[in-house]
Amino acid sequence: MRIKKKVLLVDQIGHKTYEYDYAAAKHYSEDYDVTCYVSDNTPKDVPIEGFKVAYGFHDVYSGSKIAKGLKYIKSLWQLRKYIKDNKIDIVNLQWYDLPPVDRMFIRSVKKLNGGTKVVLTVHGVIPKEINARKHDGLQKVYLEADAILLHSEPALEHFNRCFQTNCKKYVITSAFRDEDDYAPVPKDEARKKLGLPLDKKIVLSFGTLRDDKTIDLLYEAFPKVLEQQPDLFLVSVGTLNVTDKERYIKLAEQCRATGAAKIDFDYVPKDLEPYYYSAADILVLPYSYISQSGVGYCSLLFKVPMVASDIPRLDLMAKKD
């Protein structure tokens, strides 16, 4: 009987982004002994098929910036202990909030258990011209990897232009999901579920808000557009992860004040995703830069039209006659 290598898929510290890890774990479980290492606020009523779950990150993102930083370091130390105690062969990391700390952590992990392998998943390529400090920090992190995973060939090509690495790189599917995950819901049913108006044209912005997505431009423009087209209703959902949070919050309040907007800066559970896409008449992607777009990909699967910036990688999603 073949002994399976032990693989640990590590979720983002302090966040509930477990769906990707669980789907990937299910996919890999045929060939590996897989465990997902997640935060303690991750739902515990989610079906687990063929893999294990460890609720390892506890109360990470609370308190002052200093407190959060110290908790982040403590969480990585606890993760390292788990890797050592459970003799993990391969560790998959995918979020790097403090690159200098993450780099030291990766170096220490590779010394465990006779040489634990560290595989890094890159969800978004950050070029130097977008954020030089972040880019330089990530460059040092990526140099420590035994392998790097990206979600598309264009993302891989862009990564190779932006970063110098010595390890092998692979393209994997952006979401290890079944086709049923993309089954649309009748529009009226979806809107009733989400408490949205049935008689309006829904403009959707979906997913984590980051500086390079420039969703603030959408918030700024919407009240003006609404004056010319009063049958619109803006729906924007996703975690707020931007530099100038006050600006976004202020603009969001101005949109809400029109009575034609629902804006929630919160994580959207996987089971609600089909309802948002099915309720929408159009998806807006006003991005200034992107290396790939899972939101745009889902929009195509749900057959929701998109209005998007004319920038590289987004234009690849458009059909060519």
Side-chain angles (χ1 to χ4, degrees), residues 1-31:
M1 180 178 177
R2 182 172 65 89
I3 299 177
K4 294 182 177 180
K5 287 185 176 294
K6 292 184 176 181
V7 174
L8 190 67
L9 303 181
V10 181
D11 195 14
Q12 186 174 14
I13 295 179
H15 290 273
K16 296 179 291 184
T17 55
Y18 63 93
E19 287 99 339
Y20 173 86
D21 301 288
Y22 284 13
K26 180 181 177 182
H27 177 82
Y28 290 131
S29 61
E30 291 186 7
D31 299 312

Side-chain angles (χ1 to χ4, degrees), residues 8-22 24 36-39 42 57 60-61 72-73 75-76 79 91-106 118-126 134 137-138 141-142 145 147-149 151 172 174 177 207-210 212-213 239 241 267 290-292 294-295:
L8 190 67
L9 303 181
V10 181
D11 195 14
Q12 186 174 14
I13 295 179
H15 290 273
K16 296 179 291 184
T17 55
Y18 63 93
E19 287 99 339
Y20 173 86
D21 301 288
Y22 284 13
C36 290
Y37 193 93
V38 301
S39 299
T42 300
F57 297 131
V60 179
Y61 286 135
Y72 186 87
I73 295 172
S75 294
L76 289 181
L79 172 58
V91 176
N92 176 223
L93 304 172
Q94 50 185 319
W95 305 101
Y96 324 104
D97 293 339
L98 295 175
V101 175
D102 296 319
R103 181 192 182 196
M104 290 188 291
F105 168 73
I106 293 171
V118 176
V119 178
L120 304 182
T121 298
V122 178
H123 294 296
V125 181
I126 300 178
K134 182 78 170 180
L138 289 174
V141 170
Y142 296 153
I148 292 176
L149 309 178
H151 294 306
I172 58 172
S174 60
R177 296 183 179 179
T208 301
L209 287 78
R210 300 195 308 267
D212 54 4
K213 291 186 176 181
T239 306
N241 185 18
Y267 174 74
I290 198 74
S291 62
Q292 60 209 10
V295 172

Side-chain angles (χ1 to χ4, degrees), residues 13 40 53 56 66 77 88 93-94 116 119 161 176 206 251 266 277 284 288 319:
I13 295 179
D40 58 356
V53 176
I66 295 177
W77 180 257
I88 302 298
L93 304 172
Q94 50 185 319
T116 296
V119 178
R161 289 195 297 270
F176 301 92
F206 191 92
L251 289 173
D266 198 5
Y277 285 106
V284 181
S288 62
K319 291 184 178 179

Side-chain angles (χ1 to χ4, degrees), residues 76-89:
L76 289 181
W77 180 257
Q78 292 171 335
L79 172 58
R80 183 184 184 279
K81 184 177 186 302
Y82 182 92
I83 294 168
K84 179 181 179 181
D85 292 347
N86 290 273
K87 296 180 172 55
I88 302 298
D89 298 298

Side-chain angles (χ1 to χ4, degrees), residues 196-197 200-205 214-236 247-248 250-263 281-284 286:
L196 301 177
K200 300 289 186 179
K201 293 181 179 177
I202 301 295
V203 178
L204 177 64
S205 169
T214 54
I215 303 299
D216 57 329
L217 299 181
L218 171 62
Y219 293 169
E220 195 170 28
F222 182 74
K224 301 173 184 177
V225 175
L226 190 63
E227 293 176 0
Q228 302 179 23
Q229 196 165 342
D231 61 339
L232 298 180
F233 191 93
L234 174 64
V235 176
S236 178
R247 168 175 166 77
Y248 279 75
K250 181 179 179 180
L251 289 173
E253 287 299 330
Q254 293 175 2
C255 289
R256 294 190 187 104
T258 66
K262 174 184 177 180
I263 300 177
D281 292 296
I282 194 165
L283 176 76
V284 181

